Every structure is written in structure tokens, then in C-alpha cells.
Amino acid sequence: MAYAIEYIVQTLKAARQNKGLSQRALSKLAGVPQSHISKIENGAVDLRLSSLVEIARVLDLEVILVPRKSVPAVQSIVRSSRPAERMAVAQSVVTELKRLQQSLVIAMHKHSEIKEIAQLQRQVRELQRFNIALPELDTVRDANRTVQAFKDSTKGLAEIRKTLSELQNLRNAIVHTLPAVETVTSAYTLDEGDHG
Amino acid sequence: MAYAIEYIVQTLKAARQNKGLSQRALSKLAGVPQSHISKIENGAVDLRLSSLVEIARVLDLEVILVPRKSVPAVQSIVRSSRPAERMAVAQSVVTELKRLQQSLVIAMHKHSEIKEIAQLQRQVRELQRFNIALPELDTVRDANRTVQAFKDSTKGLAEIRKTLSELQNLRNAIVHTLPAVETVTSAYTLDEGDHG
DNA sequence: TTAGATGATATATAAATACACATCATCTAT
DNA sequence: ATAGATGATGTGTATTTATATATCATCTAA
């Protein structure tokens, strides 16, 4: 799935969550089956424009075609229109990161010989310096679950390594995204991400 | 077809025309059959998101989901990003309006007893005061054809009356559109236009 | 006049969406 | 433990898109 489509899908999902709607609630509002909402959010269907417009509408969003060169400016406006939402989300993420850090402290007491856990600690400390958005919340929650469920086994360690990798990807994605508004090498430059 | 979809479709068409592309040329660029482009532009199909994104991409556009309250600001940016295109289009329209005015002068010499032609002259003078965009160019061209083809007959007069009506609608649409960016009763407020 | 371009329309077909409905796995609250 | 909520997944079906291809009507240039 091309980046542009993933962005749209993730924006819809984030908007739904930000409004505190379940898929079933959105289903009723938009007149789309819940199963279809699930597929849409998971990129399992290539939805029609009419469906997109209707779902966006009930989420107080509108589909706009923007000249590529204006995308950074537009995204800046879009972002600045969500201060209250962003604060609430940021707080959730901050809380979740703290929980993850605490889980890691406990895990370090039990398994100080596992270097990946120390690495995870460093990673989390670095992530705490960023302003993380909602799509990343799931990643952090998953990480917390993994650390809390960790057992000193081959499978457990594989999960830890996977989590470490995911958090590194998250960090890299954030670093890559941060200058988005200021430069023309934006993450939203489709020349990079959409080769056909 | 809901207003939101029509806006998107018309934006695609305008972008194609602004780039001087035929449907066949766009077809090759986007990998979509020309027949399908025609249907899309005429609202005969409800295209899939992937198709929309691909066609928009080759037209240097990007699909963005904008919070409804930010739409006026975003549209302002979108419009301000097209100075060169708008000048070119405006010039075409200005030229066409001049032609129409000249056609009307000639028609007045021949048919000064027909009040509709005088009305058309007034209407065209009023339209010349506005900054008219591309979608309206066709209307003006049609008007010019009608006036040039005018014959002093019942059928000819009916065509003139129709043209007068169309230009009045055009004028009204423009007047209705002008304050779009400044007020919340924007033409893009879906609460008004999309009842389901 | 002919040739070519343009956009609209038609036919046939494969693939996919949208929809209704059901069910499952998981989580949370009581 | 049970009930309810949530999101994911599956089945069956009607409808539509997307595609390939062709053709038509109209316009324009030579």
C-alpha cells in the first residue's frame, strides 16, 4: 500500500480514536458496516471515494486536493488545528512511556544480564524527548506488554528484540518526520515514497 | 453526486486542463484508460482511493484530510499557490469575454430591438469585473458561440435567453463564492450540501 | 477534403468493494 | 465467573470499478 493511502487510512483511524468512537459507533454514524471499517483501517480494502468522503465527513474531516508544493504549509495548518487533541494524546503517550520505563526497571532487576533490556531502556529515554503522536501509542503499549510479559526464554528474548527493533523504527520515523514542515525533503514528498 | 465528490472531480479535471494534458495524455501518465478518465471527470464512476491518489499524483496533487474548521485556511493556501496558473486562465477568460462583448456589439447592430441582447451586454460587463476561473471558461465560450450563431428566429432567441440565464447563474455563483475564505458559511461547509 | 486529436460511449470480463450477518479472540467491569 | 464491548475475520451476494478495446461525434489544421 502506497504511503499516500496509508497516511489517509491512519488519519481516519486517528480521527476516530481522537473522537473516542469505537468502530461500531463510527459504523452507525457513517452507515458503513463495522467489519468494513476494520478492513479500511487495516488497509484490507481500497475504498471508494464516496466511502472515504462519508467516513471523513462524520469525523469532521474533508478530502482536499492540495498542490504538492503546498503540502507542507497545509500540513502545518492541519497540525496547528489540533492543540487540545494533541495535548491529550501526548499525555497518554507520556504516561505509557513512564509505565514502559518502570516495567523495564523491574525487568532489569530480574534479567540484568540481557543487554537488549538495557538497550530498550536507552531507547525509551530517547523517545521521551520527543512529542509522540497517537499512531505511535499502540507501539508503546505493545512494548510495555512485551516487557511485562517477558520470560527468560528464547521466545521471550525474541519478543524483546522485536520490541527493541520496533522502538528503534519508531524513533527513526520520528526523527525523519520532525523537519517535515521546514524542508522540501518532507516525508510527504511522494517522489520518494511512491514509485508506482 | 455529493458536492464534496464533485469538487474533487472538478479539481482533477481543472488540474489536467491547466497542465494542458488531454485525457489520453493523462491516461498514459496515470496508467488509467482514457475512457475511465472520461467517466471519472463526468462523475460516472465512484473511483477507488488508489485510483484517485495515482491520478492526483501525476497531476502534482496530493489527497489530504483536513479538519473541517481548517478548510477555509487550507483553501486559501491552495488558491494562493496557483498565481501563474490563475493568471494564464484569467487571461484566457478575459480574452473570451472580450470576444463575447464584440460579438454582442455586432449582434446589437443587427438586432437592436431584442432586449435580451442588451441584457447580455450588461451581464458580460459585470462578469468582466470578476476574477473568473477555469470552470467558467466553457460557459463563456458557449455564450460566445451562441451569440455569433444567433439568427433572428424563435429558436435563436431561445438560445440567447438560455445563454443569458447561464451567465446570470455564473454571476450569482461567483458572487456566492467570493467570500468563501472569510466566513464560516463557506460553500465548502458540508453541513449545507451533503444531507446523506 | 482528409487526417488526426479529443472526449464520450459501448461491450465484455475479471476483480474488488460494499453490505448483511455472524463469529471469534481478547479485554474490561461487575 | 459472566456480560458486554471491541476489533478482526469469514461467508455469501449484488453491484460496481477497472481494464482492454473499439467506435462515434465533433473539432481543427493542413
Side-chain angles (χ1 to χ4, degrees):
Chain A
M1 179 168 58
Y3 180 87
I5 295 179
E6 185 165 347
Y7 150 80
I8 290 164
V9 167
Q10 290 305 316
T11 302
L12 289 176
K13 182 174 180 179
R16 174 179 68 80
Q17 291 173 335
N18 289 342
K19 282 181 165 296
L21 296 173
S22 65
Q23 290 182 349
R24 284 189 168 89
L26 176 60
S27 166
K28 288 193 168 70
L29 290 174
V32 175
Q34 175 271 323
S35 60
H36 206 57
I37 302 275
S38 182
K39 283 172 192 156
I40 289 167
E41 290 187 355
N42 286 291
V45 293
D46 180 8
L47 75 166
R48 291 181 193 159
L49 180 55
S50 61
S51 301
L52 172 64
V53 165
E54 182 62 18
I55 292 168
R57 187 186 68 81
V58 300
L59 294 173
D60 291 322
L61 295 172
E62 186 162 328
V63 183
I64 303 278
L65 291 172
V66 176
R68 188 165 297 124
K69 63 180 183 281
S70 301
V71 167
V74 167
Q75 291 289 12
S76 175
I77 289 184
V78 170
R79 287 186 191 131
S80 68
S81 69
R82 298 185 189 141
E85 291 169 305
R86 295 186 59 165
M87 293 298 282
V89 169
Q91 193 55 46
S92 302
V93 176
V94 168
T95 302
E96 198 68 24
L97 281 169
K98 276 183 185 167
R99 286 187 187 138
L100 180 54
Q101 193 70 289
Q102 284 162 0
S103 303
L104 284 166
V105 167
I106 293 166
M108 274 299 289
H109 281 304
K110 293 183 184 171
H111 315 284
S112 58
E113 77 281 1
I114 298 180
K115 68 181 179 189
E116 282 89 353
I117 294 187
Q119 287 172 343
L120 270 174
Q121 281 190 314
R122 284 196 294 273
Q123 200 63 254
V124 172
R125 274 199 295 266
E126 190 168 0
L127 286 174
Q128 286 176 312
R129 291 175 14 220
F130 298 118
N131 187 10
I132 304 192
L134 184 75
E136 287 89 6
L137 182 58
D138 289 341
T139 304
V140 179
R141 277 193 179 140
D142 289 343
N144 201 8
R145 272 194 221 109
T146 300
V147 172
Q148 290 184 337
F150 177 59
K151 296 175 182 173
D152 193 0
S153 64
T154 304
K155 187 180 174 185
L157 187 55
E159 297 282 351
I160 288 281
R161 283 190 179 136
K162 186 181 162 195
T163 294
L164 179 60
S165 176
E166 283 171 352
L167 290 184
Q168 282 172 340
N169 288 340
L170 173 56
R171 181 259 176 203
N172 291 338
I174 290 167
V175 170
H176 187 58
T177 302
L178 275 180
V181 178
E182 306 301 338
T183 71
V184 296
T185 57
S186 161
Y188 296 108
T189 305
L190 290 183
D191 290 337
E192 289 177 14
D194 187 350
H195 294 288
Chain B
M1 179 169 56
Y3 181 85
I5 295 179
E6 186 165 347
Y7 150 79
I8 290 164
V9 167
Q10 291 304 315
T11 301
L12 289 177
K13 183 173 181 180
R16 174 180 66 80
Q17 291 172 335
N18 288 344
K19 282 181 166 293
L21 296 174
S22 66
Q23 289 182 350
R24 282 189 170 89
L26 176 59
S27 165
K28 287 193 169 69
L29 290 173
V32 175
Q34 176 268 323
S35 60
H36 207 56
I37 302 274
S38 182
K39 284 175 190 152
I40 289 167
E41 291 187 354
N42 287 291
V45 292
D46 178 9
L47 76 168
R48 292 182 190 158
L49 180 55
S50 62
S51 301
L52 172 64
V53 165
E54 183 60 18
I55 292 169
R57 187 186 67 81
V58 299
L59 294 175
D60 292 321
L61 295 170
E62 186 161 328
V63 182
I64 303 280
L65 290 172
V66 176
R68 189 166 295 126
K69 62 181 184 276
S70 301
V71 168
V74 168
Q75 290 289 12
S76 176
I77 287 183
V78 170
R79 288 187 191 131
S80 67
S81 70
R82 297 187 191 139
E85 290 169 306
R86 294 187 56 163
M87 294 298 283
V89 169
Q91 193 57 47
S92 301
V93 175
V94 167
T95 302
E96 199 68 23
L97 281 169
K98 276 183 187 167
R99 286 188 188 137
L100 180 54
Q101 194 69 291
Q102 285 163 358
S103 302
L104 285 166
V105 167
I106 293 166
M108 273 299 289
H109 282 304
K110 292 182 185 173
H111 313 284
S112 60
E113 76 283 359
I114 297 180
K115 67 184 181 188
E116 283 88 353
I117 295 187
Q119 287 171 344
L120 271 174
Q121 280 189 315
R122 283 197 293 277
Q123 199 64 251
V124 172
R125 275 199 294 270
E126 192 168 358
L127 287 174
Q128 285 175 316
R129 291 178 10 224
F130 298 116
N131 186 11
I132 304 193
L134 185 75
E136 287 90 5
L137 182 58
D138 288 341
T139 304
V140 179
R141 278 196 180 135
D142 287 344
N144 200 9
R145 269 194 222 112
T146 300
V147 172
Q148 289 184 335
F150 177 60
K151 295 174 184 175
D152 193 1
S153 65
T154 303
K155 186 179 172 185
L157 186 54
E159 296 282 352
I160 288 282
R161 284 191 179 133
K162 186 181 163 197
T163 294
L164 179 58
S165 175
E166 283 171 353
L167 289 184
Q168 282 171 339
N169 288 338
L170 173 56
R171 181 257 176 203
N172 291 339
I174 291 167
V175 169
H176 185 58
T177 300
L178 276 180
V181 178
E182 307 302 334
T183 70
V184 295
T185 56
S186 162
Y188 299 108
T189 304
L190 291 183
D191 290 336
E192 289 177 16
D194 189 350
H195 293 289

